[in-house]
């Protein structure tokens, strides 16, 4: 116990030492002190800045270069190990991360210059990479617990605070009260004012506020992050997570056009990292175009994604199919959706399955829709997902509801969709939220009052969703509530009046007739 007190007292004293000047670049300003050679400190700060913007491949290359320049630098191996943990994406490479962590431990033990503070950072990674079959919640909570100790005993160490705040979000799970996210914000918000050019602070404030309840508190960080790290495609894109939550379509469009340009211009990224960033930006861009009523522009982005040449010999995270599936679902292009092909393992697997199944149900191919619902049941039974919130079950219930509706079992369709709403939420950019789909179903079944309530629930979570606003207008009109209908039609024109979606012409006609 006494040894632990001495250890952390030493860490705290080291944290208060005179700082090394931070490194400022197009990836932001970072000051992460190390005992490594003075000649590599500037490069180390740059590598950490890359890490803070999830430029994992570039960060790994930078840390590897530092390790070659200073072979005794344990923290270079710490940095390499950190690049194998993508906590907010639910990804981890345990063998590679553990190997780098063990090398960091070995170097730290052999070099008396390695500080207790640095050893504490490395010890947190030991907890992260421990065991081969450890589940995600156990692994991320163990890491966060270790980072909490480092932060508690080094209250003046900004980097310890920042990485601890990130670990809170990574280990948050499915908590409707967002306790970890609030704790993350409480740590980062004061630092945001102290270090306005730090990429990690702004970035993680966006992530920790990336939910319906807290999004507005993330707006200042969202407006700052791309300016802090303009060379990072992820930094250009990430503010749009907040902009989408707040229904700010112009800002979302601008953000992702910038992200696409940054990805195209960054030749230092690996091919897969560049393609993943480009496709993720395309996904958000076509979605925002549709919300702004610009269907032709959205379709062009989906077509552009499909036209991207394959990257030979690489298994990248993102796929063009995800962009196309998102477009087809929000544009309600059921023929396009049903004509899609399934994708293999990866983040877009669920989205494409949803598009194909819902498109098949709406176009009468119930056998294919049922086949995909069965596959989803199989996926759920065989593999749990990190975080405890299973979007696959939400999608499965939506597919089952669409099948029941096509079989004219209206009661069952409503019950299944109500279950999907309870199993949610789904962020609107991923695919149409279940509340919106519930509104569509109730409108089709001629239950306008219930449909209006469902659309309002969708709009409470994400303002200015095109289909939900248009649906609310139609539901109110069906109810005979002319003032409410006119209010929603006016909102539709205010949000998307310069667009080309056919609902806009209907809105204009209805408002003219109402005069």
């Amino acid at each position: 116990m006494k040894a632990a007190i001495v250890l952390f007292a030493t860490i705290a004293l080291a944290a208060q030492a005179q700082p090394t000047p931070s490194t400022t670049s197009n990836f932001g300003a970072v000051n992460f002190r190390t005992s490594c050679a003075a000649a590599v400190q500037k490069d180390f700060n740059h590598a950490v800045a890359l890490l803070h913007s999830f430029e994992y491949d570039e960060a790994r290359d930078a840390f590897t270069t530092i390790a070659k320049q200073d072979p005794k630098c344990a923290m270079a191996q710490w940095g390499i190990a950190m690049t194998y943990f993508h906590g907010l994406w639910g990804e981890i490479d345990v063998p590679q991360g553990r190997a780098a962590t063990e090398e960091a431990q070995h170097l730290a033990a052999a070099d008396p210059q390695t500080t207790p503070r640095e050893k504490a950072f490395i010890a947190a990674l030991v907890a992260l990479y421990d065991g081969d079959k450890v589940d995600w919640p156990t692994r991320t909570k163990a890491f966060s617990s270790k980072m909490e100790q480092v932060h508690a005993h080094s209250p003046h160490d900004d980097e310890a605070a920042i990485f601890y705040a990130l670990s809170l979000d990574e280990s948050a799970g499915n908590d409707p009260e967002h306790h970890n996210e609030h704790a993350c914000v409480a740590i980062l918000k004061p630092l945001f004012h102290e270090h306005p050019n730090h990429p990690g602070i702004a970035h993680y404030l966006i992530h920790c506020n990336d939910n319906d309840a807290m999004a507005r508190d993330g707006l200042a960080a969202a407006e700052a992050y791309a300016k802090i790290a303009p060379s990072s495609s992820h930094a250009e894109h990430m503010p749009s997570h907040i902009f989408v939550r707040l229904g700010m379509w112009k800002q979302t469009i601008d953000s992702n056009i910038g992200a696409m340009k940054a990805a195209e211009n960054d030749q230092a990224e690996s091919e897969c990292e560049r393609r993943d960033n480009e496709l993720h930006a395309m996904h958000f861009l076509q979605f925002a175009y549709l919300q702004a009523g610009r269907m032709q522009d959205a379709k062009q982005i989906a077509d552009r994604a499909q036209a991207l040449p394959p990257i030979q010999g690489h298994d990248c995270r993102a796929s063009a199919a995800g962009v196309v599936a998102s477009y087809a679902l929000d544009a309600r292009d059921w023929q396009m959706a049903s004509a899609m092909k399934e994708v293999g393992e990866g983040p877009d697997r669920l989205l494409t399955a949803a598009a194909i199944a819902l498109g098949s149900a709406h176009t009468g191919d119930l056998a294919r829709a049922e086949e995909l619902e069965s596959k989803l049941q199989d996926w759920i039974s065989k593999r749990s997902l990190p975080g405890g919130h299973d979007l696959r079950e939400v999608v499965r219930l939506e597919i089952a509801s669409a099948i029941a509706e096509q079989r004219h079992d209206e009661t069952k369709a409503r019950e299944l969709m109500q279950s999907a709403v309870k199993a949610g939420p789904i962020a609107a950019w991923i695919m149409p939220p279940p509340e919106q789909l519930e509104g569509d179903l109730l409108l089709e079944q001629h239950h306008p009052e219930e449909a209006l309530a469902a659309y309002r629930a969708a709009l409470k979570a994400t303002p200015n969703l095109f289909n939900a606003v248009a649906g609310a207008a139609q539901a109110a009109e069906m109810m005979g509530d002319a003032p409410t209908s006119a209010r929603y039609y006016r909102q539709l024109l205010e949000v998307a009046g310069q667009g080309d979606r056919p609902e806009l012409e209907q809105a204009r006609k209805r408002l003219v007739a109402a005069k």
Side-chain angles (χ1 to χ4, degrees), residues 6-18 33 153-156:
V6 172
L7 169 65
F8 284 111
T10 307
I11 295 172
L13 288 172
Q16 298 177 52
Q18 287 297 316
R33 299 172 308 285
H153 293 281
S154 306
H156 300 290

Side-chain angles (χ1 to χ4, degrees), residues 144-163:
S144 186
S145 178
K146 288 292 185 181
M147 288 307 305
E148 181 181 20
Q149 292 177 29
V150 179
H151 172 55
H153 293 281
S154 306
H156 300 290
D157 186 336
D158 292 338
E159 289 298 318
I162 294 162
F163 279 111

Side-chain angles (χ1 to χ4, degrees), residues 279 283 286 299 301-303 305-306 318-344 347-361 363 365 368-369 371-372 375 430-432:
L279 285 171
H283 186 148
Q286 62 78 27
K299 181 64 163 55
I301 295 298
D303 291 343
Q306 281 189 305
S319 71
V323 180
V324 176
S326 175
Y327 169 83
L329 285 168
D330 251 298
R332 295 173 176 148
D333 191 333
W334 304 124
Q335 292 292 341
M336 173 186 278
S338 63
M340 292 185 66
K341 295 179 181 179
E342 292 182 64
V343 298
D348 293 328
R349 187 185 189 192
L350 179 62
L351 177 57
T352 53
I356 295 166
L358 292 174
S360 297
T363 55
D365 188 350
R368 194 177 187 204
E371 178 187 354
L372 281 163
K375 280 187 179 181
I430 297 176
M431 62 177 293

Side-chain angles (χ1 to χ4, degrees), residues 384-458:
S384 62
L385 292 180
H389 179 48
D390 201 336
L391 298 184
R392 297 170 304 181
E393 178 61 10
V394 183
V395 171
R396 188 196 69 76
L397 289 164
E398 291 171 348
I399 294 168
S401 173
I403 293 169
E405 178 67 8
Q406 293 301 312
R407 294 197 184 283
H408 307 292
D409 190 340
E410 294 190 350
T411 300
K412 183 178 181 181
R414 287 198 302 274
E415 290 174 350
L416 287 164
M417 190 59 75
Q418 287 168 1
S419 296
V421 170
K422 290 177 182 177
I426 293 181
W429 66 265
I430 297 176
M431 62 177 293
E435 294 86 352
Q436 181 177 296
L437 294 182
E438 182 183 30
D440 294 345
L441 175 67
L442 291 166
L443 198 61
E444 187 175 338
Q445 291 185 0
H446 302 285
H447 299 293
E449 290 186 17
E450 295 172 63
L452 180 58
Y455 287 129
R456 281 174 166 164

Side-chain angles (χ1 to χ4, degrees), residues 23-229:
T23 297
T24 304
S25 69
N26 283 339
F27 291 94
V30 167
N31 173 25
F32 193 119
R33 299 172 308 285
T34 74
S35 63
C36 301
V40 302
Q41 183 63 61
K42 181 177 179 181
D43 292 337
F44 192 91
N45 284 341
H46 177 66
V48 175
L50 291 169
L51 186 62
H52 277 311
S53 284
F54 296 172
E55 301 286 345
Y56 292 115
D57 291 353
E58 285 186 76
R60 188 178 305 125
D61 289 344
F63 284 121
T64 301
T65 299
I66 293 167
K68 291 176 181 177
Q69 294 171 338
D70 182 4
K72 295 193 300 181
C73 178
M75 290 304 285
Q77 296 298 326
W78 167 87
I80 292 170
M82 285 289 287
T83 68
Y84 290 112
F85 175 49
H86 310 161
L88 295 182
W89 300 347
E91 298 174 351
I92 189 169
D93 187 332
V94 172
Q96 295 277 20
R98 182 185 296 149
T101 299
E102 289 174 351
E103 180 63 14
Q105 284 182 288
H106 169 73
L107 292 173
D111 184 2
Q113 297 299 315
T114 304
T115 67
R117 166 184 176 267
E118 292 169 327
K119 290 177 180 177
F121 270 97
I122 294 167
L125 284 180
V126 174
L128 175 66
Y129 289 114
D130 182 46
D132 293 317
K133 296 183 179 179
V134 178
D135 63 33
W136 183 266
T138 301
R139 197 179 293 281
T140 55
K141 287 177 182 176
F143 176 62
S144 186
S145 178
K146 288 292 185 181
M147 288 307 305
E148 181 181 20
Q149 292 177 29
V150 179
H151 172 55
H153 293 281
S154 306
H156 300 290
D157 186 336
D158 292 338
E159 289 298 318
I162 294 162
F163 279 111
Y164 170 51
L166 173 60
S167 77
L168 285 168
D169 200 21
E170 291 166 334
S171 60
N174 182 28
D175 173 16
E177 299 300 320
H178 306 295
H179 290 98
N180 275 29
E181 290 89 340
H182 282 294
C184 168
V185 171
I187 293 168
L188 295 177
K189 199 169 182 180
L191 293 175
F192 181 58
H193 298 290
E194 293 175 25
H195 306 287
N197 292 316
H198 192 291
I201 298 169
H203 185 188
Y204 308 149
L205 275 170
I206 293 170
H207 275 292
C208 290
N209 283 297
D210 188 9
N211 58 72
D212 297 339
M214 299 169 63
R216 187 154 295 279
D217 289 337
L219 185 57
E223 291 173 337
Y225 184 31
K227 298 173 185 175
I228 293 169

